[in-house]
Amino acid sequence: MMKYYKLCMDFKRENDIIAHYYNDYGIGQNRLNSGIYYKNWDQKFSFYYDKTEGETTSDYLANDKGWFVVSEKLKNLLTVLNTEIQFLPVRVKEKNSKKIHNYFIANVLTVLDALCLEKSDYFETEIPSIGKIYTVSKFAVCERKIEGADVFKLANRQEIPIFVSQRFKAMVEKNSITGIGFWEIKVI
């Protein structure tokens, strides 16, 4: 049985850049977290950081949008995996020196109906205009519904977390990819 993980930031590292935005040009917080192809990317959007707060680049860049912002190195690794991802170029600028780093927003488009609520820890909320919303604290997935995907999101209003396979984790470790942590999830 393949192991799967919820992707998270590696918070053990110190001095990493944390990127902030000043103008989102109308791109909503969850627009690039929802698993939907983004058609109007015009490359105006930039992230900024202050080197006094952290100046070390990481392959998975922490940011206040909660987007999956990746280096060229991590982008190249993601392109060989079994997943569909849209890569949107983005500049990360140091706010005082104007030093620029080139990154990509990895918009994960593989969304699977693989959540196993019976084995997950969650509570549900009924919102009249939307219906049931599940707030999941511990995820369980049905392996047969994952269809061999290495990077994916879950359907059923669970699109924000990113999940990855054991294969992806091994490639991250082998290639010394920085900024990524993993929380193992239950597989049924």
Side-chain angles (χ1 to χ4, degrees):
M1 182 175 291
M2 176 78 77
K3 290 183 180 181
Y4 290 92
Y5 304 85
K6 181 180 174 188
L7 190 72
C8 61
M9 301 297 309
D10 178 0
F11 292 110
K12 296 175 191 165
R13 292 172 49 91
E14 296 180 20
N15 203 38
D16 280 1
I17 290 171
I18 299 175
H20 304 276
Y21 75 96
Y22 296 144
N23 185 344
D24 71 1
Y25 299 97
I27 305 168
Q29 182 75 24
N30 292 328
R31 182 61 182 96
L32 297 175
N33 285 333
S34 60
I36 298 170
Y37 186 86
Y38 191 79
K39 295 179 185 174
N40 301 318
W41 191 252
D42 58 15
Q43 300 187 34
K44 286 194 275 186
F45 184 94
S46 293
F47 281 112
Y48 297 87
Y49 71 99
D50 184 334
K51 68 181 179 183
T52 63
E53 297 172 356
E55 62 182 331
T56 304
T57 56
S58 57
D59 294 305
Y60 178 15
L61 191 67
N63 64 88
D64 59 357
K65 276 291 203 180
W67 293 342
F68 189 24
V69 178
V70 302
S71 67
E72 179 89 27
K73 182 178 176 182
L74 181 50
K75 174 187 176 273
N76 291 339
L77 185 139
L78 288 163
T79 60
V80 301
L81 295 169
N82 182 17
T83 189
E84 186 179 352
I85 300 176
Q86 175 189 22
F87 294 100
L88 305 168
V90 65
R91 292 174 307 282
V92 179
K93 302 176 182 180
E94 202 287 319
K95 71 178 192 173
N96 297 310
S97 70
K98 303 301 181 202
K99 183 176 182 177
I100 297 175
H101 305 278
N102 293 313
Y103 274 82
F104 299 87
I105 299 165
N107 183 17
V108 178
L109 303 175
T110 302
V111 179
L112 306 170
D113 188 13
L115 178 63
C116 178
L117 281 175
E118 296 79 29
K119 301 292 181 176
S120 296
D121 290 345
Y122 72 96
F123 67 89
E124 60 184 65
T125 307
E126 184 74 33
I127 298 176
S129 62
I130 298 173
K132 286 184 186 177
I133 301 280
Y134 301 105
T135 303
V136 181
S137 58
K138 291 184 181 176
F139 289 87
V141 293
C142 182
E143 185 176 29
R144 68 179 168 73
K145 293 183 177 182
I146 294 172
E147 302 168 357
D150 290 309
V151 181
F152 59 93
K153 293 175 171 273
L154 294 172
N156 208 4
R157 295 190 184 96
Q158 297 299 317
E159 290 89 359
I160 292 177
I162 297 171
F163 297 91
V164 298
S165 69
Q166 176 180 332
R167 178 175 175 228
F168 174 81
K169 183 177 184 284
M171 291 177 77
V172 162
E173 292 166 349
K174 179 181 176 186
N175 290 282
S176 301
I177 299 294
T178 59
I180 291 182
F182 301 95
W183 289 342
E184 189 170 352
I185 61 171
K186 195 179 293 184
V187 180
I188 308 304

